[in-house]
Amino acid sequence: QVRLVESGGGLAQAGGSLRLSCVASGDMTRVTALGWYRQAPGNKREMVAVITDFGSIHYGTSVRGRFTISRNDLKNTIWLQMDNLKPEDTAVYYCNADYQTDSAVTDYWGQGAQVTVSS
């Protein structure tokens, strides 16, 4: 199993910046990717940014060029630097880990961090 603990987020004005952190612990040997997802009220959860075990990075189209995902060398901590924030970035942001077993991939989630962007 994997435990994910998020920190950061909060309130920012449009055009401002915020930073999220996620520390992962547990059986990291089977984690194939870490990433950030978000969910706004009434919306489905959407992918924000993902970094795979091999270092490939993927961004959601709405954040590309504004958000940056990074990772430490131990591959157990990720950050999400959010720049040029927009009111539509307001959501609960969740850290995610893809945990690979022989037969399936299990998603683990953090508790969520609120990000609110005012206009």
Side-chain angles (χ1 to χ4, degrees):
Q1 291 192 353
V2 177
R3 182 170 181 253
L4 303 169
V5 179
E6 300 142 348
S7 60
L11 178 64
Q13 291 187 333
S17 299
L18 287 172
R19 183 177 173 90
L20 296 172
S21 302
C22 174
V23 178
S25 59
D27 183 9
M28 297 299 295
T29 61
R30 290 179 175 270
V31 173
T32 57
L34 291 172
W36 294 96
Y37 289 70
R38 69 186 183 186
Q39 188 167 18
N43 290 356
K44 293 182 180 180
R45 191 169 296 189
E46 64 172 349
M47 188 269 285
V48 175
V50 171
I51 182 166
T52 71
D53 188 55
F54 294 103
S56 297
I57 291 175
H58 307 275
Y59 291 103
T61 55
S62 62
V63 305
R64 193 172 294 130
R66 299 187 298 120
F67 290 11
T68 304
I69 188 171
S70 59
R71 176 182 69 187
N72 67 347
D73 291 342
L74 292 177
K75 301 181 182 180
N76 65 352
T77 301
I78 59 171
W79 297 273
L80 184 68
Q81 178 65 39
M82 302 179 287
D83 297 319
N84 191 20
L85 284 162
K86 302 177 181 179
E88 50 264 43
D89 294 320
T90 296
V92 178
Y93 285 68
Y94 296 93
C95 183
N96 167 268
D98 285 346
Y99 184 89
Q100 178 75 55
T101 63
D102 292 338
S103 59
V105 175
T106 299
D107 282 318
Y108 286 92
W109 299 95
Q111 78 279 10
Q114 178 68 47
V115 170
T116 302
V117 183
S118 62
S119 57

